[in-house]
Each structure stands twice: as structure tokens, then as C-alpha cells.
Amino acid sequence: DGGITQSPKYLFRKEGQNVTLSCEQNLNHDAMYWYRQDPGQGLRLIYYSQIVNDFQKGDIAEGYSVSREKKESFPLTVTSAQKNPTAFYLCASIGFLNTEAFFGQGTRLTVV
Amino acid sequence: SQQGEEDPQALSIQEGENATMNCSYKTSINNLQWYRQNSGRGLVHLILIRSNEREKHSGRLRVTLDTSKKSSSLLITASRAADTASYFCATEGGSYIPTFGRGTSLIVHP
């Protein structure tokens, strides 16, 4: 079945650590996106990539980094510079000339 | 920046009633989409309406778009307990970057 997979589902980070969230899709979609969701704030765009080896900052990119070495994969690293990383992270992808976004099931990151 | 803003933030109804939620946005759009999110899960696409369309139906869903007022509404008819979820509107203005609102939390009581 085609789809978009995020892992892990739950992630715990200690203060000062970097952690990487995985996002993989087998939909052959060109564009991939990372959103952060906090209670009452909806979805905010962190980074997006519309083609391999290229990515752009979204509205809240500070403290995050991404790579897009393969079409299928768009990992997100939450660095120690992100002061408030506890949130629900959602990865999405969109096909060429399409606008319907397909979402993964999300990763809930908690700082301990 | 969040483009769409849903209203109300929360809605509680009885099974069988209709649920209406609204979305307002600020800048011109190519299309507007509605998504559903069950608690703790990813979003699922429900319906898309293009800027040159005024109304669209899909099963028990009815979406309207008024570009002059920069607003859209989602109507769920004959609601069921399984419709309990958060509903988000997303606008897209030509950049292929969906911009989401804060969502409406719908509770349908059996």
C-alpha cells in the first residue's frame, strides 16, 4: 500500500540533545513538508522541499534542520537550539500538480 | 503565518444534527481544502474546492466558498458519533504550500 510513514510514534529527548524524526513516502511525490502542531495553534510549517536536494524554511524553522537526499525521505532534526521542542510533528507529501496533502501519523516529541 | 481561521473553535452537537464550521482567510487563493484529524493522528483530506467553484458535495459533506468574503463553510449533515474529530481548512495560493488554520473541534454525542 502506498503511503507516508513517520517514525517513531513517540520520542523522548533530554535537554541539549539532537533528535531526528523520520519521514518516508512511497507515493512518488515530489513535495514534502514538516509541520509542528501545538494545542490550540493548529499546524505551523517548519520546512518544505519541492524537489530532491532542495528545501526551504517555513514559518518556524529556527532550531530545526532537514535534508532531502532522496525523493522518498525527508528527515527532520530537532536540534538543541530549539528551546521548546515538545510538540506533535506531522510530515506530509503532495504529488506533482496536485494539492491534496497526504499525512503521516505523526511523532509526539517530549523533552524530559 | 496562519492563513485560515476556523470558527467556532469547538462545537458540541447530538447525533443526527448538522454541524457547520466556517473558515476565513486573508489573501487570494487557488483552492481551499478541508481536512479531518482524529485525536493524536495525522490529517486526512476530505474535500477540495477551487477558487472558481461556489459549492461542492461529497457524501454527507457540503462545502461552500465565497471568494468575495474570503470565507468557506463545511457542513456535515446527519452527524454520527464517528464524526467526532478536529476539522481544519487549508488554503493554497499557487505555491503548493498548504497553510492551515487552528481547527474546529467537533464532538458528536450519541
Side-chain angles (χ1 to χ4, degrees):
Chain A
D1 288 333
I4 182 164
T5 302
Q6 289 186 242
S7 62
K9 189 172 182 180
Y10 298 97
L11 187 56
F12 297 90
R13 191 194 96 169
K14 293 182 179 179
E15 296 277 356
Q17 275 186 340
N18 292 354
V19 291
T20 298
L21 283 61
S22 171
C23 179
E24 303 276 334
Q25 53 99 358
N26 60 3
L27 300 165
N28 200 32
H29 285 173
D30 292 294
M32 298 185 73
Y33 308 79
W34 275 105
Y35 291 91
R36 170 179 170 143
Q37 187 176 28
D38 295 281
Q41 298 240 16
L43 276 68
R44 292 184 290 169
L45 183 65
I46 304 172
Y47 268 98
Y48 65 98
S49 167
Q50 294 181 324
I51 195 168
V52 176
N53 291 323
D54 185 61
F55 48 83
Q56 305 296 327
K57 293 181 179 180
D59 298 318
I60 56 165
E62 185 174 351
Y64 300 97
S65 65
V66 293
S67 63
R68 187 86 186 277
E69 297 176 358
K70 299 186 300 180
K71 189 174 187 177
E72 303 79 18
S73 178
F74 191 41
L76 173 74
T77 296
V78 184
T79 75
S80 56
Q82 172 49 241
K83 296 307 178 188
N84 185 22
T86 295
F88 190 51
Y89 291 87
L90 287 160
C91 180
S93 68
I94 297 179
F96 182 62
L97 292 182
N98 202 339
T99 49
E100 175 185 344
F102 289 79
F103 280 83
Q105 291 302 300
T107 293
R108 188 166 298 279
L109 173 63
T110 303
V111 173
V112 295
Chain B
S1 57
Q2 288 181 300
Q3 165 77 303
E5 291 294 336
E6 292 88 345
D7 172 66
Q9 289 188 5
L11 183 59
S12 181
I13 60 174
Q14 294 295 125
E15 208 165 30
E17 294 180 340
N18 294 343
T20 300
M21 50 205 89
N22 304 295
C23 171
S24 59
Y25 58 92
K26 298 175 183 175
T27 60
S28 62
I29 61 172
N30 283 355
N31 64 73
L32 185 144
Q33 303 173 60
W34 285 91
Y35 289 80
R36 167 194 169 127
Q37 182 183 35
N38 285 8
S39 181
R41 307 295 295 270
L43 277 71
V44 176
H45 184 265
L46 294 175
I47 194 166
L48 177 151
I49 187 165
R50 301 192 187 282
S51 59
N52 61 353
E53 298 175 312
R54 292 297 168 258
E55 187 171 313
K56 205 161 182 181
H57 297 255
S58 177
R60 293 185 295 114
L61 305 180
R62 173 179 169 252
V63 170
T64 62
L65 179 65
D66 186 334
T67 53
S68 67
K69 294 182 179 178
K70 292 187 170 60
S71 67
S72 173
S73 67
L74 171 67
L75 169 67
I76 304 174
T77 61
S79 62
R80 306 166 182 167
D83 293 328
T84 294
S86 292
Y87 293 83
F88 293 86
C89 68
T91 55
E92 193 278 314
S95 63
Y96 295 98
I97 302 171
T99 303
F100 291 84
R102 298 172 190 266
T104 292
S105 175
L106 173 65
I107 297 175
V108 181
H109 299 279

